[in-house]
Amino acid sequence: MTRKSTTDAGGRHTIRDVAAHAGVSASTVSRVLGGEYPVSTTTRTRVMRAVRDLDYVADARAKAIAGAGTPTLAFVLDDITGPSFAHMAHGVEREATRLGHLCLVCSTDGDAEHQLEFIEMMRAQRAAAVILVGGATDTAEYRERMARIADSLASAGSRLVLCGRPPLAPGTPVTVIEYDNEGGAYALCAHVLAQGHRRVLFLGGLADNTTAQGRESGYLAAHRARGLDPDPALRLYGDFTRDSGHRLMRQALAQGLEFTAVMASTDMVASGALTALHEAGLRVPADVSLAGYDDIPFARDLHPPLTTVHVPYEELGRLAVRTALGRTPDAPNEHLLLGTHVVVRDSVAAPGGGAR
Amino acid sequence: MTRKSTTDAGGRHTIRDVAAHAGVSASTVSRVLGGEYPVSTTTRTRVMRAVRDLDYVADARAKAIAGAGTPTLAFVLDDITGPSFAHMAHGVEREATRLGHLCLVCSTDGDAEHQLEFIEMMRAQRAAAVILVGGATDTAEYRERMARIADSLASAGSRLVLCGRPPLAPGTPVTVIEYDNEGGAYALCAHVLAQGHRRVLFLGGLADNTTAQGRESGYLAAHRARGLDPDPALRLYGDFTRDSGHRLMRQALAQGLEFTAVMASTDMVASGALTALHEAGLRVPADVSLAGYDDIPFARDLHPPLTTVHVPYEELGRLAVRTALGRTPDAPNEHLLLGTHVVVRDSVAAPGGGAR
DNA sequence: ATGAAAGCGCTAACAT
DNA sequence: ATGTTAGCGCTTTCAT
């Protein structure tokens, strides 16, 4: 079988096969499929029939390279398994497809190298935008690296969007959308303090993660605003998982740390901590108060329902793609800061009976 | 500026720009970048320098069309927001990148049309495999539609993988990987029954969803195996969300349904149900026992820790990718059934004090 | 070891 | 309204 009629076993039909089958030229097929062009009705029908017969689907890569094609959008996160990331991904995904974009999702497991690789891949795919989400380590190296990526992307007609990450130097072609970690944590901690607590344990995330740091700053600031000086021994670090919360809490209990409330950097962390508390026979909030952060759907099913800070993750995802795609009249360098609000449920109360 | 030196403002450099910059031919650049070909060291260095200078990244689409290129893999699910799906996605994603594949993820929000559209897109992308996950409605139309897709994909050299979905007619070029919903539910329900419960409320999912049906079948079968005839009034239907569980449970309570245990079709559902139970002042498991399904990480943080069925979702995702990519010596039509096991925690006990 | 040329599957002028 | 001819950015013969 010659390499002309592509109707070979592989079954991968080309536009020329369809053309031959319909007795027209390839361009005509292209035009019929494209839709935007006048074609006689009879030809159109014949072509469509051929398409159906051959079960033809145009190669998207070829289209893309030839100028047409569905634009692509990349979403890079640390771990799709975290509820808050999943919700953002959902928002991104929905908005992207609503806008007719294909959407690549990649979890990097928090590995910076892997992340870099993936971004490079996206650049190779000529993605319309790359959305990077999740706290980072805010070092000079980080800023430099990100700036380079932003420039590369920009010069290729693409755009970098940072979500929940530290902004870069002004002038860098980047869009950053942050949610106010410090503000949320401040408000939450203020609420806890207002109940009368004076020793509140902070269960942090990775020490150098900006999201974790923001929340810690809020915790600190709230204390200082009341003229309080939080005991450094009351700050423990792990990551954002449920297991980390569980482990940290056990550890705190084992060390005999004294506190009447605990503020977790994440609902997941709070969830694990809660179990550790229960395991130790402590009642929440009677014996110790507990607060989380993120307001994942689950938070209200904890016992007691968790007081936490609501972050509009899904909306955030949607916003990210909208601004990334320039659906919003944007300045070259955009910086949005989304507000959050505390959701008061039952896990925080005044320090009561069995204070430790 | 003529359309020859692509070094225009757009910045999108082509291989020819690099070639020019390095004073060699495009083929040479290609060879250097490809690696698999002998090139003089001096040339190689010059080319690499040009690449660096221009910040050049080869267009993946062009590569793909020309025969090289990273293969792509598509993962289609209903909702990335569901923990079990997220874990599968994680597995898929990890294994795919481990195997050097790009991975497209798409949530269809349970919309069959949208799902179809997306599959078509993936065919256009010439994806190496399409993994479809999540229960479906098992009708003749479903089987027919899926078979058509499987054939299309196969004839394009791609492959369809069904995960947690009903198998198709033998001979269809499809791989299906199921986890044993019925078996798991049977074992779980047997456990509940063994505690002495006789009226156990079943909180289902979408009535026509095969996953939900499988779990219901297990529930039914476990009863029958004991010579019990479960009261049909004890089966309520909603979906797999936390809210559904909450609503259904309230409803059951409001109607004054009598039961001493409840078996939810999902941990999420169980979670919502638990809250409804608490809100009604009922204690678990003292007043009523509760069991879930999926064993999401959260399950152990519920109060009491939830007895449930473990499903190896992440492993499932990895397996799907592996078999899809034929890393497993596979028969043309493969059908795997993964086992599950019940995880006994504290939410199920013998019917006790305040039976309703 | 390197260049020239052909081709991948498609679209977009440019002709009729 | 339709066919012809160039590309798009890359790889891969086929020469040299």
Side-chain angles (χ1 to χ4, degrees):
Chain A
M1 185 176 271
T2 100
R3 189 61 198 160
K4 190 82 264 190
S5 103
T6 325
T7 319
D8 55 36
R12 236 183 236 76
H13 291 297
T14 82
I15 199 172
R16 265 181 292 270
D17 297 324
V18 179
H21 198 90
V24 299
S25 77
S27 341
T28 301
V29 176
S30 173
R31 293 200 263 251
V32 171
L33 262 28
E36 313 292 338
Y37 213 88
V39 177
S40 92
T41 320
T42 68
T43 317
R44 148 165 287 109
T45 352
R46 285 234 306 286
V47 170
M48 289 315 269
R49 224 184 84 73
V51 166
R52 216 106 50 190
D53 285 358
L54 267 35
D55 194 22
Y56 169 76
V57 178
D59 187 318
R61 293 111 29 119
K63 282 179 100 131
I65 213 190
T70 316
T72 295
L73 200 131
F75 185 61
V76 186
L77 39 56
D78 279 349
D79 180 8
I80 191 64
T81 267
S84 46
F85 285 157
H87 283 274
M88 282 198 58
H90 194 232
V92 165
E93 209 281 320
R94 279 183 65 70
E95 189 69 10
T97 74
R98 197 178 71 74
L99 263 28
H101 281 243
L102 216 48
C103 179
L104 296 262
V105 177
C106 166
S107 333
T108 60
D109 284 299
D111 175 354
E113 286 325 305
H114 186 183
Q115 188 175 101
L116 221 53
E117 262 176 50
F118 194 75
I119 294 176
E120 210 56 6
M121 271 189 166
M122 290 310 99
R123 202 146 78 85
Q125 296 288 339
R126 302 300 187 252
V130 176
I131 303 178
L132 226 58
V133 50
T137 305
D138 191 10
T139 61
E141 201 231 327
Y142 159 82
R143 285 164 185 259
E144 203 174 289
R145 169 181 284 201
M146 284 301 140
R148 265 222 333 281
I149 292 174
D151 284 332
S152 286
L153 250 20
S155 84
S158 176
R159 180 142 192 105
L160 179 64
V161 180
L162 263 23
C163 245
R165 298 199 143 210
L168 305 180
T172 313
V174 69
T175 299
V176 2
I177 307 186
E178 292 187 275
Y179 34 92
D180 190 359
N181 287 311
E182 177 158 357
Y186 181 99
L188 179 61
C189 190
H191 169 70
V192 171
L193 261 16
Q195 304 296 310
H197 294 278
R198 282 305 170 266
R199 293 189 62 80
V200 3
L201 177 66
F202 181 78
L203 264 23
L206 270 2
D208 58 2
N209 179 294
T210 52
T211 300
Q213 285 172 346
R215 294 177 187 180
E216 183 173 351
S217 300
Y219 161 90
L220 260 21
H223 278 81
R224 298 202 176 112
R226 281 203 165 242
L228 266 23
D229 188 26
D231 184 347
L234 255 26
R235 298 204 294 275
L236 267 25
Y237 304 89
D239 58 37
F240 285 157
T241 62
R242 177 248 166 231
D243 286 352
S244 173
H246 189 251
R247 186 169 36 76
L248 254 29
M249 194 71 233
R250 289 175 62 113
Q251 181 183 320
L253 259 14
Q255 301 181 185
L257 243 34
E258 292 192 11
F259 53 87
T260 62
V262 7
M263 190 168 142
S265 52
T266 268
D267 284 349
M268 290 295 275
V269 171
S271 179
L274 179 59
T275 296
L277 251 12
H278 282 157
E279 287 166 351
L282 262 15
R283 291 161 307 158
V284 176
D287 298 323
V288 16
S289 285
L290 173 66
Y293 206 112
D294 282 345
D295 191 25
I296 62 182
F298 243 101
R300 82 191 61 187
D301 294 323
L302 255 17
H303 188 69
L306 194 67
T307 288
T308 184
V309 176
H310 182 81
V311 182
Y313 285 113
E314 180 139 358
E315 176 53 28
L316 207 66
R318 277 204 285 274
L319 188 59
V321 347
R322 233 157 20 219
T323 77
L325 265 28
R327 313 295 264 177
T328 266
D330 46 347
N333 188 336
E334 233 176 338
H335 189 339
L336 308 182
L337 183 60
L338 263 53
T340 57
H341 61 268
V342 359
V343 179
V344 176
R345 287 199 271 252
D346 311 333
S347 64
V348 173
R356 294 181 56 87
Chain B
M1 187 177 269
T2 100
R3 188 60 197 161
K4 190 82 267 186
S5 103
T6 324
T7 319
D8 55 34
R12 233 183 238 76
H13 290 296
T14 81
I15 199 173
R16 265 181 292 269
D17 298 324
V18 179
H21 198 91
V24 298
S25 77
S27 340
T28 302
V29 176
S30 173
R31 294 199 261 252
V32 171
L33 262 28
E36 312 292 340
Y37 210 89
V39 177
S40 93
T41 318
T42 68
T43 315
R44 146 164 287 109
T45 355
R46 285 234 307 286
V47 170
M48 289 315 268
R49 223 185 85 72
V51 166
R52 216 108 48 193
D53 285 357
L54 267 34
D55 195 21
Y56 170 76
V57 178
D59 187 318
R61 293 110 31 117
K63 284 181 99 132
I65 214 191
T70 316
T72 294
L73 198 130
F75 185 62
V76 185
L77 39 56
D78 279 349
D79 180 7
I80 190 65
T81 268
S84 46
F85 286 157
H87 282 274
M88 282 199 57
H90 194 231
V92 166
E93 209 282 320
R94 280 182 64 71
E95 189 69 11
T97 73
R98 199 179 69 76
L99 263 29
H101 280 244
L102 216 47
C103 181
L104 294 263
V105 177
C106 167
S107 334
T108 61
D109 283 300
D111 175 352
E113 285 325 304
H114 187 184
Q115 188 175 100
L116 221 54
E117 261 176 51
F118 194 75
I119 294 176
E120 215 44 13
M121 269 189 169
M122 290 311 100
R123 201 145 80 84
Q125 296 287 341
R126 302 298 185 254
V130 176
I131 304 178
L132 226 55
V133 51
T137 306
D138 191 9
T139 60
E141 201 231 324
Y142 160 81
R143 284 165 188 258
E144 204 174 290
R145 169 182 284 201
M146 283 303 141
R148 265 221 332 282
I149 293 175
D151 284 331
S152 284
L153 249 21
S155 84
S158 176
R159 180 142 191 102
L160 179 65
V161 180
L162 263 23
C163 245
R165 298 200 144 209
L168 305 180
T172 313
V174 68
T175 300
V176 0
I177 307 186
E178 291 187 276
Y179 34 92
D180 191 359
N181 287 310
E182 177 159 358
Y186 182 100
L188 179 61
C189 190
H191 170 69
V192 171
L193 261 17
Q195 305 296 308
H197 294 278
R198 283 305 169 265
R199 293 189 60 80
V200 3
L201 176 67
F202 181 78
L203 264 23
L206 269 2
D208 58 2
N209 179 292
T210 53
T211 300
Q213 285 171 345
R215 293 175 188 181
E216 184 173 350
S217 301
Y219 161 90
L220 260 21
H223 278 81
R224 300 207 172 108
R226 283 203 165 239
L228 264 26
D229 187 27
D231 183 347
L234 254 28
R235 299 204 294 275
L236 267 25
Y237 304 90
D239 59 36
F240 284 157
T241 61
R242 178 247 166 234
D243 286 351
S244 173
H246 189 251
R247 187 169 35 76
L248 254 30
M249 195 69 233
R250 289 176 60 114
Q251 179 182 320
L253 259 15
Q255 304 181 184
L257 243 36
E258 291 191 11
F259 53 87
T260 62
V262 6
M263 189 168 143
S265 53
T266 268
D267 284 350
M268 290 295 274
V269 172
S271 179
L274 178 60
T275 296
L277 252 11
H278 282 156
E279 287 166 352
L282 263 15
R283 291 161 306 156
V284 176
D287 297 323
V288 17
S289 285
L290 173 67
Y293 205 113
D294 282 344
D295 192 24
I296 62 181
F298 243 102
R300 83 191 59 188
D301 293 324
L302 256 14
H303 188 69
L306 194 67
T307 288
T308 185
V309 176
H310 182 81
V311 182
Y313 285 112
E314 181 140 355
E315 177 52 28
L316 207 66
R318 276 204 285 274
L319 188 59
V321 173
R322 234 154 21 218
T323 76
L325 265 26
R327 313 296 265 179
T328 267
D330 47 347
N333 187 338
E334 231 175 342
H335 189 339
L336 309 182
L337 182 60
L338 264 55
T340 56
H341 62 267
V342 358
V343 179
V344 176
R345 289 200 269 251
D346 310 332
S347 65
V348 173
R356 294 182 56 84

